Amino acid sequence: MSSSRDRAIVTVLLATGIRIGELSMLEIDDVRLTQRTGELVLRDGKGDRRRMVPLNRPARAALCEWLADRAGHHSQPSVTSGPVWISRTGEPLSVRSISKVVTAVMAKAGIEDSADALRHTVATRLVHEHGQDLVLVADILGHADVKTTRRYARSDLEQRRAALERLAD
């Protein structure tokens, strides 16, 4: 359908690490955007937990663009309620449809992987590239137990070698 929709889907997934199922269940009133901040209210996450997920600037911009396009959709969806993600016909997008969108965008970028790989990418980058605490990453991902998050913190041989070499400095 709309490239703004597809761009918003991928941008939000890459910016938040939320599950595709959580993304697909978003309703308009779960998206809270202001000029300087924004967050998603995930009500039906794994284990029926509710959590707030902050949105960075690129995610807010992509969502704003999509919500503006959505408001002008020929099916005339409500701008105050209903699903965030709609199809060409105005129907809610399923998890499967969102996965297809993400897989297609990734394939265009030359990435042969599943849509779920985006969540893994976010978690791994938070831990390895940005040195975030595992408890914080667990909160962001909606993990009830930090042990679930530990898999993103595993190191490879080169990382271990470099860490030990830094001891000699």
Side-chain angles (χ1 to χ4, degrees), residues 78-167:
S78 169
V79 294
T80 57
S81 65
V84 170
W85 313 108
I86 58 173
S87 68
R88 277 194 273 316
T89 60
E91 296 297 312
L93 281 185
S94 66
V95 171
R96 184 179 172 138
S97 296
I98 290 173
S99 290
K100 285 182 178 179
V101 164
V102 174
T103 303
V105 169
M106 290 170 65
K108 270 188 179 177
I111 302 166
E112 296 294 324
D113 215 333
S114 71
D116 290 325
L118 294 183
R119 182 171 164 83
H120 180 80
T121 299
V122 170
T124 303
R125 289 190 66 216
L126 283 169
V127 172
H128 287 288
E129 294 176 25
H130 299 283
Q132 297 300 325
D133 177 72
L134 284 183
V135 173
L136 175 65
V137 176
D139 286 346
I140 290 169
L141 297 176
H143 290 161
D145 190 337
V146 177
K147 290 178 189 165
T148 307
T149 314
R150 285 190 63 214
R151 70 176 176 257
Y152 300 113
R154 289 206 175 102
S155 59
D156 63 21
L157 179 60
E158 285 306 311
Q159 290 168 317
R160 293 189 299 267
R161 181 176 285 128
L164 292 172
E165 282 297 326
R166 285 193 296 272
L167 284 177

